[in-house]
Amino acid sequence: MSDNEKTVTLVLNIAQPVLHAEREKQAITPALIAEKVDFAVATFAIDLSANDRDTVISELIRRFSHWIGKDSALHDSEGHIPWLVSARKRDWRYWQRYETFLQKRLSVDVVAALDESTDGILGRLEDPTREGAWDRRGLVVGHVQSGKTGNYSGLVCKAADAGYKIIIVLAGLHNNLRSQTQIRLEESFLGYETSENRDPGKPLGVAEIDSDPKIHPHCATTRADNGDFNAGVAKHFSISPEERPWLFVVKKQKTVLTQLLKWIRGHVADGTDTKTGRRIVTNLPLLVIDDEADNASVDTGEQWFNADGTPDEEHHPKTINSLIRQVLHAFEKSAYVGYTATPFANIFIHRRGATIEEGPDLFPQAFIINLAAPSNYVGPTRMFGLRTPEGRQGGLPLARYITDHVLRDQPGGWMPAKHKKDHVPVHDGKAALPPSLVEALHSFVLACAARVCRGQGSEHASMLVHVTRFTNVQKEVHDQVAHAMNRMRQQVTQRVDHEGLVDSLRKLWDTDFIPTSETVTAALSDSGEVLMMPSWADIMLALPDTIRDITVRIVNGTAKDALDYAEHDQIGLKVIAIGGDKLARGLTLEGLCTSYFVRTTKMYDTLMQMGRWFGYRPGYVDLCRLYTSEDLVEWFGHIADASEELREEFEAMAERNATPENYGLRVQSHPVLLVTSPLKMRTAKNLQLSFSGELLETVSLFKDRRLLERNLGTTNKLMVAMGKPSESSPMRLRGGVQQNWSGSHLWNAVSPDAIADFFEAYATHPNARKVNSKLLAEFVCNMARSNELTSWTVVLMGGGRTENSHTFETGLTVDMLKRVDESSGSDRYSIGRLLSPRDEAIDLDEKAWDAALAMTIRAWETKQKSTQPKAPEVPNGPAIRRVRGKGAEGVAPAPERGLLLLYPLDPRSANDAASAAGKGFGDYTDPVIAFGVSFPASDNGVKVEYAVDHLTWEQEYGSGE
C-alpha cells in the first residue's frame, strides 16, 4: 500500500465513526461528509492532497448511500425450539470482532443488515447446547456474486460463539475455490494465516480487532494447494468437548470426504447407534456449510419410492451426496446450510428421500431464506435492464456485442462455437487476435489506468477471457494475448511505433469511456456513486506503470489462482485470466473490470461463467465492459428472468407463511421449468405443469409467412365465435383517475372451448419456451372440467402508434402495435415484453385493482424498498392474479375468470430496424398476432404433462453439470 493510500485509509477510519455518530442528529449529506473529512485532517494534522480528499469524500458518500432490503423466508418449525435472543449474544467475541472489522470497510447499514440476516439463519438452526438428538437442514439463496461468502463467514462466527464445535465448509470442486474460501475465513473467523503444520501463523483480518490466543479457533486445513484435509494430518487430530471450535474447509471430492468421514468415525465418535451399529458423535454439535450447494451435492440418481411414498432404503446415492449425508448422519446433533444462487436442483430433492446408511437427503426441510441484495449490487437486472414492450430498458450500457470471432458465411474463424482440442485460433490467416479482443484489452488497460487516477491503484483489477474449454486452445489464446500485451507494453514504455496505439486508446477513451461514464453516473445518481473521469493527460501519465503491472495467465483450478490475490493484497494484482471449465464455480475474480466471452459448445457452463460479471464494482462500475455475442446476452436474459420469476413466487409464498415443502411442490409444476428444467432438473421424468397464477406472453414469434397467416386465421376464427364485443375503447377507474384503452375491443364471458380451440390452432415458436400453445389448450380444458377458467375475458389490443391499421374478418378495424425486433437471427421476431403492465389488470374493477395495489405495496415495503426507492403506483402481476383468483377483503374470488390479450403487431415497424440486417418480414404487411394469457391464482391441483427432450437439450447446451 502506497503512502497516499495509507493516508486515505487513516482519514476514512477517523471520519466514518464521526459520521456514524452524526446520523442520530441529522441526515448525512455530501456537504457534511466534506466538513467531517476536513475536521479529521485539521484535528490530526494529516497531509492530504486535494485528489486524495476527493477520493475519501467519494468513498464515504458511497458507504453512506447504501441501503439493503430484508431477507424473506419460508420455514417449517416442526421439532424446532426457538432459542436465539439478544442476551445470548452478549459475550460473543468471534462475531463482535468480525462486525468491528467490517464496520471499517462497509456502511453501518450493510453491517447491521448482515447481523440481522445471520441471526435469521442461525436462529432457525438448533441451539447447539440443546440436549438430545436433532437435525436441521436449510438453504440460503443469494444473487450471483453478491457476497454469500461474507454472509456465511458471519454465520460461522456466530455458530462458533453459540457453541457449534465442528464447522465444515464444503468449498467447491477445485483447489482454487477451496483456497480462496480458506483465505477469506482466515481473515473473517480464524484471525491468522494457516501454516503447513496447522499451527497459527501471522495474525491477519479480525486479529487487528481481537488477537487473544484464548479464542483462536483450530483449523484442520490450510490455504496451500495441498492444504485440504487428508489422511496424513488426520491422525494427529483429536477433539474434545471443551476445545475451541474446529474449522474444516474442504473440497467436494471423494477422497477428501472419505478421509474426513473415516476420521470422524475413528477419532471423534464417542457412541454407537443402537439400530445400525454405526459409530456416532453424541457430544459435539456439527454445522456443515455447503457453498454452491446445487453443484455436486445433489443426488442425481433416480431413487424409487414405495406406493405409500416411503423411500427405497437400499437406494445408492451418487458419491458426493452420499458422503455429505454420511458425515451429517455421523452426528447426533447436526445442522446443514446450503448456499446457492441457482436453487433449482436443491428444490427438486425429494423431501422424503432417505437411506439407512446416509440418513435423510439434503432437501432444505427447515427453511429456505432469500437474501436481499444491497443497493450497490450490479446484477442481471441492473446490467441488462427489465423487459418492456420497447425491449429491455433501464440497463447500464456496458455490453459490447462481438461478431468477428467467427466467419460470417461459413464455419470456422478465430473461435467458432464448435471446435476441437487441437484448434488453432486464426484471424485473417494469421495466429492473431480478432479486433474485438484487441479492443477489449485496450479497454482493460484504460480501466486500470483510470482506477489508478481515482486512487484505486492498490486494489485488484482483473480481466477474464473465456472462449474455449480445451486447455491446449487456452494455451494458444494465452500466447496470443501475452504477445499483444508485450507489444503494447513496448510501444507505451519505450515509445516505439506508439502513435497508432495511442490514437486508438484516445479514440476509445473519447468515444466510449467518457460518454458511458456520464450515462452510468446519471443512472446511479441515487446510489451515491461519485465517478470522476480523469483527464487524458492523467491517463497518459498512468499508462506506462499500469501496463507494466498487468500479467497474463491461465486460470486452471489450482490454489495459486486464489493465492496470487492474497499475496498482492498491499499493491493489487492486475491480471488477464484466460479461463475455461476449470475456472471453478464460485471463484471470485477480484476487481473484475473487463470480460470477453464467446459461446462454447457447453452453453450452460458459459452462462454460469457470465454470472461472474455480476457483483460489486465500487467506484469503477462505469469502467467495466462485457464483450460478448448477442445470443449469449439473450440467453442469459432467459436464465435471469427465470430466476427472478421464482424469486417472485418465493416472495408471494413467504407472505402466506408457506413452508419449504409447499414451495418445492409449487416449483416442480412451475412453467419456468420449460426454460430451466433441461439445464437443472437432472431427471428423465416428464414435467407436470400448472399454469395457475401465471402470466405467459409470446415474446418469440415466427417470420414464416405460412405460419403468420395461420395464426391470423386462428384469431379471425376466435373473433367470429365471440361475436360483437362487450366493450369498445374500454375505460376503468384507477386510483380515482380514468384510464383508457382507446381503439381496443373487449369480450366478456367467452367459453373455455373457444379459448382452447384458439390455443390448439395457434402455432407458438419453439423459442417461446414457456408458451406452448398445445399445453395451454389442454390446461384450459382440464381446469374447465374442475369448474375453473370457465368464463374468459378477451381483449383485442389496438390504439397503436403506427400509421398502419388492419380490418379483421368481423369488420373490426384496429391500429397495429409496434414492438422492436431484438433478435440476433432472421428466423424469428423476438421482443422484450409484449404486455404493458397496466393491460393485465383490464378485467379488474376499481376495488379489486386497489386491493392488488395494496398487496404490491406491502411486498415492496418488506423486500424491494432497497432496490426500488419509489413506491409502486400500479399493481404487479402476481398481485393481480392472486386477487382475481382468490379475492381480497371486500373482493370476491373469481377462479373462473381467465384473461386473454391479443396483440396485432405491425411487421412494417419491426422491418424498419430489421430489414437492413436481413431479418425483416419482406412484403408481409398483415398483423403478426401475439398473445398474453393471465391465469388466476388457484389451489386446484390440475396439471398437464410435458415431455422433456433431454437429449436434444444436452447436445445443444450441455448437461448443466
Side-chain angles (χ1 to χ4, degrees), residues 401-669:
Y401 294 143
I402 61 173
T403 57
D404 59 3
H405 61 291
V406 293
L407 296 177
R408 260 173 205 268
D409 305 321
Q410 62 191 70
W414 185 76
M415 198 62 65
K418 294 187 177 179
H419 57 266
K420 296 184 177 175
K421 62 183 180 183
D422 57 355
H423 171 71
V424 177
V426 172
H427 181 75
D428 273 355
K430 300 189 290 288
L433 302 175
S436 61
L437 183 46
V438 173
E439 182 186 304
L441 295 175
H442 290 177
S443 178
F444 179 59
V445 167
L446 289 172
C448 290
R451 292 189 67 192
V452 169
C453 295
R454 287 179 179 175
Q456 301 171 5
S458 64
E459 295 180 25
H460 302 306
S462 302
M463 174 177 178
L464 174 62
V465 179
H466 180 274
V467 294
T468 179
R469 61 194 178 95
F470 297 118
T471 52
N472 288 346
V473 187
Q474 287 170 24
K475 178 73 170 60
E476 295 281 347
V477 174
H478 170 275
D479 292 348
Q480 289 183 14
V481 171
H483 175 75
M485 288 305 298
N486 287 337
R487 173 76 177 134
M488 207 186 307
R489 191 175 295 117
Q490 182 186 45
Q491 287 173 295
V492 169
T493 58
Q494 298 177 20
R495 302 182 69 76
V496 176
D497 296 333
H498 63 289
E499 294 86 355
L501 171 63
V502 171
D503 287 346
S504 295
L505 291 171
R506 178 69 189 264
K507 183 180 178 185
L508 188 61
W509 181 257
D510 289 342
T511 61
D512 186 335
F513 275 76
I514 288 176
T516 300
S517 182
E518 287 172 359
T519 305
V520 171
T521 301
L524 300 181
S525 56
D526 292 339
S527 71
E529 289 277 9
V530 180
L531 304 168
M532 295 169 295
M533 285 303 275
S535 67
W536 178 248
D538 288 339
I539 291 292
M540 283 301 294
L541 282 174
L543 268 178
D545 286 342
T546 298
I547 290 183
R548 284 192 194 98
D549 288 341
I550 294 172
T551 61
V552 184
R553 63 189 61 175
I554 295 174
V555 176
N556 57 16
T558 67
K560 191 174 187 306
D561 303 331
L563 279 170
D564 278 346
Y565 286 118
E567 288 168 1
H568 291 78
D569 224 21
Q570 298 300 309
I571 57 171
L573 179 68
K574 293 177 178 62
V575 62
I576 298 171
I578 316 297
D581 292 353
K582 280 286 171 68
L583 178 58
R585 280 172 54 130
L587 180 77
T588 299
L589 291 169
E590 304 283 354
L592 184 60
C593 296
T594 312
S595 299
Y596 187 93
F597 290 98
V598 304
R599 175 176 170 170
T600 60
T601 44
K602 292 186 79 175
M603 188 171 183
Y604 183 74
D605 290 335
T606 310
L607 290 171
M608 289 301 99
Q609 298 286 8
M610 278 185 75
R612 272 168 218 301
W613 198 89
F614 306 116
Y616 303 100
R617 304 288 179 263
Y620 63 97
V621 66
D622 59 320
L623 307 175
C624 295
R625 295 293 182 271
L626 173 59
Y627 286 83
T628 190
S629 58
E630 195 173 353
D631 69 323
L632 267 184
V633 170
E634 183 182 342
W635 255 101
F636 201 92
H638 287 322
I639 300 297
D641 291 343
S643 298
E644 203 51 44
E645 210 166 319
L646 288 186
R647 277 180 179 275
E648 275 189 8
E649 186 73 49
F650 186 97
E651 302 302 337
M653 295 190 78
E655 197 177 317
R656 304 197 294 271
N657 296 317
T659 66
E661 186 164 342
N662 301 146
Y663 183 61
L665 292 169
R666 175 68 190 103
V667 169
Q668 287 190 28
S669 63

Side-chain angles (χ1 to χ4, degrees), residues 212-269:
D212 185 352
K214 290 178 185 167
I215 65 165
H216 265 176
H218 298 293
C219 191
T221 53
T222 77
R223 56 169 62 191
D225 209 35
N226 62 351
D228 210 335
F229 190 85
N230 62 64
V233 296
K235 58 190 176 193
H236 301 304
F237 293 142
S238 62
I239 294 179
S240 66
E242 297 76 29
E243 286 274 9
R244 298 187 293 276
W246 277 82
L247 175 68
F248 300 76
V249 182
V250 300
K251 290 194 302 292
K252 289 189 253 190
Q253 197 239 8
K254 180 182 176 182
T255 308
V256 172
L257 293 175
T258 302
Q259 292 290 350
L260 182 58
L261 179 62
K262 187 176 174 184
W263 173 76
I264 288 167
R265 288 174 172 168
H267 291 78
V268 189

Side-chain angles (χ1 to χ4, degrees), residues 247-357:
L247 175 68
F248 300 76
V249 182
V250 300
K251 290 194 302 292
K252 289 189 253 190
Q253 197 239 8
K254 180 182 176 182
T255 308
V256 172
L257 293 175
T258 302
Q259 292 290 350
L260 182 58
L261 179 62
K262 187 176 174 184
W263 173 76
I264 288 167
R265 288 174 172 168
H267 291 78
V268 189
D270 63 332
T272 304
D273 180 62
T274 52
K275 289 182 184 173
T276 62
R278 288 180 305 109
R279 294 286 291 158
I280 57 171
V281 183
T282 65
N283 61 343
L284 297 170
L286 166 75
L287 171 62
V288 172
I289 290 175
D290 187 354
D291 195 9
E292 304 286 347
D294 63 316
N295 193 27
S297 303
V298 177
D299 180 17
T300 55
E302 194 69 32
Q303 182 167 4
W304 296 99
F305 291 83
N306 302 321
D308 62 356
T310 56
D312 168 22
E313 294 185 337
E314 300 302 313
H315 170 67
H316 296 293
K318 297 292 183 180
T319 304
I320 301 302
N321 172 268
S322 169
L323 288 165
I324 294 170
R325 287 162 60 185
Q326 286 183 70
V327 167
L328 287 161
H329 204 35
F331 286 77
E332 202 172 64
K333 310 170 199 293
S334 66
Y336 168 91
V337 182
Y339 278 77
T340 181
T342 48
F344 303 114
N346 306 79
I347 290 161
F348 274 91
I349 297 169
H350 199 288
R351 60 219 38 80
R352 295 180 68 180
T355 64
I356 294 171
E357 186 69 19

Side-chain angles (χ1 to χ4, degrees), residues 168-184:
I168 299 171
V169 178
L170 304 171
L173 305 177
H174 298 286
N175 284 327
N176 56 6
L177 177 55
R178 194 208 67 80
S179 180
Q180 184 176 71
T181 305
Q182 175 87 36
I183 290 167
R184 291 193 174 172

